[in-house]
Amino acid sequence: MLSELDAVNMMLAAIGSAPVNTLAGVVSPDVAIARQLLTDARRKMLLRGWAFNTQRGVTIAPDDTGRIPVDTNILRIDLSPVHSGSTDPVQRGAWLFDRTSNSFTFSGSIVVDLLLDLPWDDLPEVARAYTAASAAEMLAHSTAADPQRVAGAQRATYEAYAALRSYEDDAEDATIFDDYQSKYITRRYR
């Protein structure tokens, strides 16, 4: 498994810097920048939404005050298509807001789809590889590294992204009939 230390060392190699043995304690400016770029690349990758960081059909209930808090590990929350009701929730700060009633108060449970912010250790290997390659490319660009190193980092990013897309296609098990319009067409002739 690609550790966070391995990813940072991969990034340092992309700019021609020496590898490090640890990420603990005081680190060099290159290592600090690499860690921040790795975190940024992880969040950017997760914001796209993948089978491994999506939970569908989650029922959430309001607290005693009628409000629904949004956990800090939730990147996006949306009303699930399976929910029946007349609410239109959106996230505002740490709470859900119902745009239908113009209120933070909900009368009952709602069913939502969640996009989660996963920590490094919870990512599948292909997602770690893509995140590390993407961060290495960002670091190479930001430090004006040798053009050949930048080109190599770009190539690695493309290859890692292709592997991640292949993984996603396998994990999602999607068919043409999962699309709303396809479902509508197949149902109208029943």
Side-chain angles (χ1 to χ4, degrees):
M1 294 288 272
L2 184 70
S3 69
E4 201 168 349
L5 175 63
D6 295 334
V8 167
N9 282 330
M10 183 176 128
M11 295 170 68
L12 294 173
I15 60 169
S17 291
V20 294
N21 295 325
T22 184
L23 298 176
V26 179
V27 294
S28 72
D30 282 347
V31 172
I33 291 168
R35 287 186 79 184
Q36 183 58 51
L37 286 175
L38 187 63
T39 299
D40 294 347
R42 180 185 55 78
R43 282 185 63 86
K44 184 178 176 182
M45 180 270 303
L46 289 171
L47 278 166
R48 289 183 178 175
W50 304 92
F52 59 84
N53 79 320
T54 302
Q55 282 184 292
R56 299 192 191 284
V58 177
T59 301
I60 56 176
D63 62 14
D64 295 338
T65 65
R67 297 177 80 179
I68 299 177
V70 178
D71 289 338
T72 57
N73 71 328
I74 296 175
L75 297 173
R76 187 170 55 219
I77 188 167
D78 193 23
L79 195 63
S80 178
V82 300
H83 179 78
S84 60
S86 61
T87 61
D88 185 13
V90 294
Q91 183 176 351
R92 290 205 180 154
W95 303 94
L96 278 187
F97 179 81
D98 185 359
R99 294 189 307 181
T100 303
S101 66
N102 288 321
S103 168
F104 284 99
T105 306
F106 290 82
S107 59
S109 298
I110 60 173
V111 182
V112 296
D113 296 337
L114 303 174
L115 193 62
L116 303 174
D117 182 9
L118 300 177
W120 182 264
D121 291 337
D122 289 349
L123 297 177
E125 185 66 17
V126 293
R128 292 181 192 197
Y130 171 69
T131 302
S134 177
E137 182 182 347
M138 287 190 292
L139 184 62
H141 278 289
S142 69
T143 59
D146 173 28
Q148 288 180 325
R149 289 186 186 275
V150 173
Q154 287 174 329
R155 214 172 13 263
T157 302
Y158 294 140
E159 291 170 5
Y161 184 72
L164 180 57
R165 289 296 319 161
S166 178
Y167 175 87
E168 176 71 6
D169 292 344
D170 290 343
E172 185 138 43
D173 297 328
T175 70
I176 190 171
F177 300 109
D178 292 334
D179 177 65
Y180 172 77
Q181 289 182 330
S182 297
K183 285 182 182 178
Y184 172 76
I185 291 169
T186 59
R187 286 185 197 154
R188 71 180 179 186
Y189 293 111
R190 289 183 184 174

